[in-house]
Amino acid sequence: MVPVAERSPNPLTRARDAVWRPTAGSLRFLALLGVIGNAAIVATGGAVRVTKSGLGCPDWPRCTGDSLVPTHSPEHPALNMAIEFGNRMLTFVVLAVGVLVFAAALRLRPRRRDLVRWALAQPMSVVAQAVIGGIVVLTELHPASVSLHFLVSPALLVFCVVLWVRAGEGDAPPRPLVPRPVRRLAAGLVAACGAVLVTGTVVTGTGPHAGDAESRRWGFNIEDVTRVHSVLAWAAVALTVLTAAALHRVGAPPAARRRVHELIALELAQGAVGYIQYFMGVPGPLVVLHMLGSVLMWIAAWRLVCALRDRGPAPVTASPAPGPAAAEAPQPA
């Protein structure tokens, strides 16, 4: 077996090796950065909406006119332009992380094909997200395009979370850790969480935070769509409690029970924020916090599903073949 290179004290060298000479641990860390980046971009997207900065950069892919960066414009305040442009720049950061994750998955030895596929999905999805972001601007924040723009992030987070989990486990066929009815209950829970996310976009598209004062809104009654969203949220909570009870009843592994307890805590916190913002007239900061909570809930739900099966320990990784200079260096006996 090829020995793994010693850990360099130089942080830049360690960062390079995490991509060019990756281990399962370094790939998992890069995947975690992808999870964090995609959750953060949801929060910054929420900040764009509540500050009415959605058209701070009124063009795409340029910001204004012939300029890629914000320039002075009497029609768009500098702060709104800066917020929208900052959100666009974060997309490039998330894309860069996705490219690094893909490169690390390709360089991992032994190569694990399913990790390469999960990793490739990340930069490709970010590119799709950028294109949809352009459609959002060109349609002047139509609520349908804005909803799609948001919902791509949870879809992308599935790739990120699964890669994060898979990098730390083996490639054996999945071995169920709980009976099939419990796994089906967990799958229904994920579907309920997805429905909560979708109806949440309808509530936002009907409410006061359109991203711009002149943007079109859905013509629904805000109380009606909020009630539907709330009922689905309570259904997700009920399914989570049922899943927790089932996991305890069948003696599920401690990791699975921790995941479901984390999800219950997030759902209760999310519900509290939702009710508080509703009765306070939907203040902007709470909207951003609620959006961030929704993706954290989504991440926790997928971590729970992954905790219900076992694929064995992660294979021992070896460094890729060294370059010419390293190959000529004397080797220890």
Side-chain angles (χ1 to χ4, degrees), residues 19 72 78 82 106 124 128 155 178-179 181-182 191 202 207 218 242-243 247 258 315 327:
V19 177
H72 175 71
L106 284 176
M124 298 299 291
V178 296
V182 181
V202 178
W218 293 123
L242 286 175
T243 304
L247 291 176
R258 284 197 300 271

Side-chain angles (χ1 to χ4, degrees), residues 294-317:
S294 68
V295 294
L296 294 179
M297 179 189 72
W298 183 243
I299 292 168
W302 278 96
R303 291 187 72 198
L304 170 61
V305 170
C306 291
L308 301 182
R309 84 287 185 276
D310 178 66
R311 302 196 67 165
V316 177
T317 55

Side-chain angles (χ1 to χ4, degrees), residues 7 23 41 76 95 103 117 162 164 181 193 198 245 249 287 292 314:
R7 184 179 176 86
T23 64
I41 206 166
H76 302 281
L95 175 61
R117 289 193 292 268
V162 172
W164 179 32
C193 290
V198 172
R249 182 177 179 83
V287 172
L292 179 60

